[in-house]
Amino acid sequence: MRTQVGIVGGGPAGTLLSHLLHREGIDSVVLELRQRETVETTVRAGVLEHDTARLLESTGVGERMEREGAVHHGVELRFDGRGHRIDFSDLTGKSITVYGQQEVVKDLYRARDEAGSPPIFEAAATGFEGLETDRPKVRFRRGARFDPEAGEIRFADGSAEEEVECDFVVGADGFFGPSRQAIPGSVRKEYTRTYPFGWFGILVEGPPSTEELIYALSERGFALVSTRSPTVQRLYFQCDPDDSVENWPDGKIWAELAARLKSRDGSWKLEEGRIFQKGIVRMRSFVTEPMRYGNLFLAGDAAHIVPPTGAKGMNLAVADVRFLAKGLTQHYRDGSDGLLDRYSEVCLRRVWKASRFSWWMTSMLHAFPGEDEFQHRLQVAELDYVTSSRAASTSLAENYVGLPMDEM
């Protein structure tokens, strides 16, 4: 198989890149390990920065997002039982859009279907060749299924190894994919921060408790209230990352959330409903440098992970592939590699800024094991400053709605 750009990973990063390249007349092949149904039905958070939403609109895959997504003009920070709104529109003139990651992927798949080049699903990359040459290859096998119990990929009987020969390889296959490992350890440097807590998340069938996201700090720890749709709500609270969902019956969950989110005057009520999904998300920060090796480019979670507190994960992936698409377009249009040569440098500047913001939000809003009352009071003072100073509120708002992509 021959193409111009071989893309490993058919999530939002890889599929958006394929879509952007197609609009510029550049061919690509996308390999995705999972089944299409799995990708489309796995509910994932979807806080889209201002420029992310505008990019989807301008490239023809934002129609359903405009119709079904919820535009938010601020968030609430709640501490000491009082809510304080950060007004994005007033402070930055921008907004965010809440629209699930799986919905973004559905829209991108539909666009790739219409173009006649959807991802190849259940296709596992098995190796790479010639990454430092102008004809790199990606080896893969079809009929792949990941066995979570065995922790390995299994293949259908009779599946043979194939290869994609291309000009460039893009690894958008997440943290556990093989692309990053293809960069020699002597070249690759990795930075990791593991947080001593996780998020216990639930999906709830019921009415919304809030029109905008609520980030809450209490002496019991962090809590977050958000909305997925008019009938589905997503709520989180800080927990031990080694805890088990079996330890949390529904009644205990609602009691914990109510305790962390209660308002002093009793004016706010947490709406309950049928909990139909529970899970624990571990918290970590991760960055790998460089994001390019030869003609292999890393994008999205293959190169960086941030804690979800700052809502930056998918937005960073979008920024990566937006810049990469520009660089590849420049290469094929006039033979210049100026943007491609700057890919790692430019993207990492944004990655580290987003990592800083996500770390700051996480540190400000979570109870750390072993901390004393002094530390908690410092966090409250920080929140008090952020919500009472226009300059501090603007800094939070600018980062939350997203630093301008036009500067990339």
Side-chain angles (χ1 to χ4, degrees), residues 48-126:
L48 308 183
E49 293 178 354
H50 182 88
D51 283 358
T52 296
R54 301 293 83 76
L55 177 65
L56 297 177
E57 291 173 355
S58 66
T59 57
V61 288
E63 180 181 351
R64 195 164 66 92
M65 176 197 68
E66 290 181 296
R67 187 172 65 251
E68 300 178 11
V71 177
H72 289 192
H73 298 278
V75 295
E76 178 183 319
L77 299 181
R78 183 174 296 186
F79 57 98
D80 277 352
R82 297 187 178 94
H84 306 261
R85 185 169 184 265
I86 305 295
D87 190 329
F88 296 157
S89 296
D90 174 55
L91 296 167
T92 69
K94 297 180 180 180
S95 61
I96 59 170
T97 301
V98 177
Y99 187 64
Q101 178 175 310
Q102 75 281 358
E103 304 303 328
V104 173
V105 173
K106 287 178 189 176
D107 297 338
L108 288 167
Y109 285 171
R110 187 175 298 112
R112 304 313 303 131
D113 287 340
E114 293 172 357
S117 55
I120 301 174
F121 294 97
E122 299 177 65
T126 56

Side-chain angles (χ1 to χ4, degrees), residues 196-366:
F197 40 74
W199 278 10
F200 193 108
I202 60 172
L203 281 172
V204 179
E205 186 178 68
S209 297
T210 176
E211 293 183 359
E212 297 177 335
L213 282 78
I214 299 174
Y215 288 79
L217 170 71
S218 76
E219 293 182 353
R220 301 176 68 90
F222 169 77
L224 171 65
V225 182
S226 64
T227 295
R228 287 291 169 268
S229 75
T231 58
V232 176
Q233 319 309 318
R234 169 68 92 177
L235 299 96
Y236 293 99
F237 60 87
Q238 175 185 345
C239 69
D240 184 329
D242 295 318
D243 205 342
S244 171
V245 295
E246 284 72 27
N247 295 330
W248 289 89
D250 291 4
K252 184 178 177 182
I253 290 172
W254 290 120
E256 188 65 30
L257 283 166
R260 298 190 189 195
L261 290 161
K262 66 180 179 181
S263 57
R264 283 194 177 189
D265 60 6
S267 61
W268 183 86
K269 180 178 180 294
L270 176 64
E271 297 288 347
E272 298 184 12
R274 183 181 70 87
I275 299 174
F276 64 90
Q277 186 185 96
K278 302 177 185 179
I280 294 176
V281 179
R282 290 182 175 269
M283 305 278 283
R284 59 179 168 170
S285 297
F286 172 82
V287 181
T288 189
E289 296 183 357
M291 289 174 59
R292 178 185 184 180
Y293 173 72
N295 281 323
L296 167 66
F297 296 82
L298 301 180
D301 286 358
H304 41 74
I305 293 174
V306 291
T309 325
K312 291 287 157 259
M314 184 170 64
N315 294 292
L316 280 178
V318 169
D320 290 346
V321 299
R322 178 181 181 272
F323 187 81
L324 183 54
K326 285 185 175 182
L328 291 168
T329 299
Q330 183 187 70
H331 170 85
Y332 286 111
R333 183 170 293 166
D334 58 28
S336 172
D337 288 339
L339 292 180
L340 291 181
D341 290 341
R342 296 177 56 225
Y343 172 75
S344 187
E345 172 195 353
V346 171
C347 289
L348 282 169
R349 286 186 64 205
R350 189 181 190 90
V351 166
W352 280 113
K353 289 176 182 178
S355 297
R356 181 211 67 84
F357 176 67
S358 300
W359 164 83
W360 175 71
M361 287 280 287
T362 302
S363 301
M364 181 171 61
L365 289 162
H366 290 74

Side-chain angles (χ1 to χ4, degrees), residues 21-185:
L21 295 177
H22 172 76
R23 289 172 56 86
E24 299 295 340
I26 300 169
D27 294 331
S28 64
V29 170
V30 180
L31 306 174
E32 171 53 47
L33 171 62
R34 296 164 293 176
Q35 295 176 290
R36 179 169 183 160
E37 181 182 8
T38 300
V39 184
E40 291 185 334
T41 58
T42 301
V43 178
R44 300 285 301 275
V47 174
L48 308 183
E49 293 178 354
H50 182 88
D51 283 358
T52 296
R54 301 293 83 76
L55 177 65
L56 297 177
E57 291 173 355
S58 66
T59 57
V61 288
E63 180 181 351
R64 195 164 66 92
M65 176 197 68
E66 290 181 296
R67 187 172 65 251
E68 300 178 11
V71 177
H72 289 192
H73 298 278
V75 295
E76 178 183 319
L77 299 181
R78 183 174 296 186
F79 57 98
D80 277 352
R82 297 187 178 94
H84 306 261
R85 185 169 184 265
I86 305 295
D87 190 329
F88 296 157
S89 296
D90 174 55
L91 296 167
T92 69
K94 297 180 180 180
S95 61
I96 59 170
T97 301
V98 177
Y99 187 64
Q101 178 175 310
Q102 75 281 358
E103 304 303 328
V104 173
V105 173
K106 287 178 189 176
D107 297 338
L108 288 167
Y109 285 171
R110 187 175 298 112
R112 304 313 303 131
D113 287 340
E114 293 172 357
S117 55
I120 301 174
F121 294 97
E122 299 177 65
T126 56
F128 303 87
E129 294 180 10
L131 294 176
E132 296 182 89
T133 73
D134 59 2
R135 285 292 183 270
K137 296 178 181 179
V138 181
R139 298 192 303 275
F140 73 99
R141 288 176 65 181
R142 301 176 193 256
R145 292 289 182 91
F146 180 73
D147 184 340
E149 293 186 3
E152 62 182 29
I153 298 171
R154 301 188 186 278
F155 297 94
D157 293 341
S159 67
E161 193 167 72
E162 304 175 54
E163 64 181 28
V164 179
E165 182 183 82
C166 43
D167 302 324
F168 301 97
V169 176
V170 178
D173 49 352
F175 180 81
F176 295 104
S179 296
R180 186 178 70 257
Q181 302 303 322
I183 300 177

